[in-house]
Amino acid sequence: MGTHYCHLKLDERRKLAKWLEAKMSISEIADRLGRDPSTIYRDIKRNRYTDGELPELNGYHALVAQDKYEQRRAIHRKMIIHPDLKAAIEDRLKAGWSPEQIAGRMRLERHPIRVSHETIYRFAYSKDGREEQFYRHLPEHRRRRRPRGYRRHNRAHIFDIQSLSHRPERVSERLEFGHWECDLMMFRKEHGKVNVTSLVERVSRYAVVIRNEDRQSKPIMESLINGLVPLPADARKSITFDRGTEFSAWKYLKAGIGADAWFCDPQAPYQKGTVENTNNRLRRYLPRSTAPTALTNRYLRSICHRLNATPRKCLGYRTPAEVFESNLMEIQNRLE
């Protein structure tokens, strides 16, 4: 026997009740169940049924014991004994926050009653959570927890570029504000050529989404220039791309806003992991089945606002908007 205590399961309690009724000794029951005798004594003591009015019903009954066990466990589940807490967590999940972001923000704001992200997941996949279909509020909407898959990229080769290996270390280590990553989000072919550009600043994780009418590179670069030109020069120093041909007109960036362009190695989109992660978040609101022709700039801005107002673990549970605005203020103060 190991030192870790494992609670009895329902099928074990059924056997225990049957063998107790047959007057079997506790030591023999423990041997048959492969349990320590103290485990059996403990379960009988804690889950025995007693009725003062009908003493003939007193005894150990499997279903009653299981129910008492589950009720006792539920007492320690904060999301069950604090319905207001559960409602607040549910509202945040519906707003697009992950369990980890919710728990981290609670710690940052020093809530009197807090939960860990594991508590949220455990409730979602518990008996009570499944009855409410609480898992539908989780980011992946899955019945069971499983690792996320990864997108496959088939990119054409482009030439005359600056390799990511030559990007300054201060940029790679996120020590300098104003460096962005960019990608294109596509939709199903039957919806036409309309797509969106996803752009994210590496330090703050601040996201911008821009609609494109097709995949021609020059118009995409022009839309990037138009989107970034209102920012001070120190807030738009460079953009990192993958090797997609839609980014082949990268030289327009330098001429338009003075921004450098860096490119990942072939078949290595993970090297711009910040925007890849942002794309996964955006897919909650822009699945591949979306009809992109119906996307308005107002709707895309509302999605960005939601993402940028969501706390992030990597930012100490501050929001991308908070970090982005703080860095812009620092730039403004230097200029003054």
Side-chain angles (χ1 to χ4, degrees), residues 95-98 101 281 305-312 318-320:
W97 294 30
S98 72
Q101 290 164 344
R281 297 171 188 272
H305 176 75
R306 178 171 286 194
L307 259 63
N308 292 330
T310 302
R312 303 287 296 274
R318 292 179 294 168
T319 68

Side-chain angles (χ1 to χ4, degrees), residues 22-35:
K23 308 298 182 183
M24 190 178 294
S25 69
I26 298 298
S27 59
E28 185 175 352
I29 292 174
D31 287 340
R32 290 194 178 194
L33 292 177
R35 296 281 192 166

Side-chain angles (χ1 to χ4, degrees), residues 74-135:
I75 292 175
H76 303 288
R77 297 174 188 162
K78 293 181 180 178
M79 292 179 64
I80 293 177
I81 61 177
H82 298 289
D84 291 343
L85 175 67
K86 188 185 79 169
I89 291 171
E90 187 173 341
D91 287 342
R92 290 300 189 185
L93 289 171
K94 288 179 179 179
W97 294 30
S98 72
E100 192 171 39
Q101 290 164 344
I102 294 170
R105 191 69 177 190
M106 283 182 173
R107 290 195 298 272
L108 181 66
E109 296 177 351
R110 302 192 178 188
H111 283 238
I113 302 175
R114 311 174 202 171
V115 295
S116 69
H117 66 281
E118 281 299 323
T119 297
I120 299 174
Y121 278 115
R122 282 199 300 268
F123 174 77
Y125 296 113
S126 69
K127 179 181 177 181
D128 299 287
R130 287 183 182 279
E131 288 178 354
E132 299 179 24
Q133 295 190 326
F134 198 83
Y135 66 87

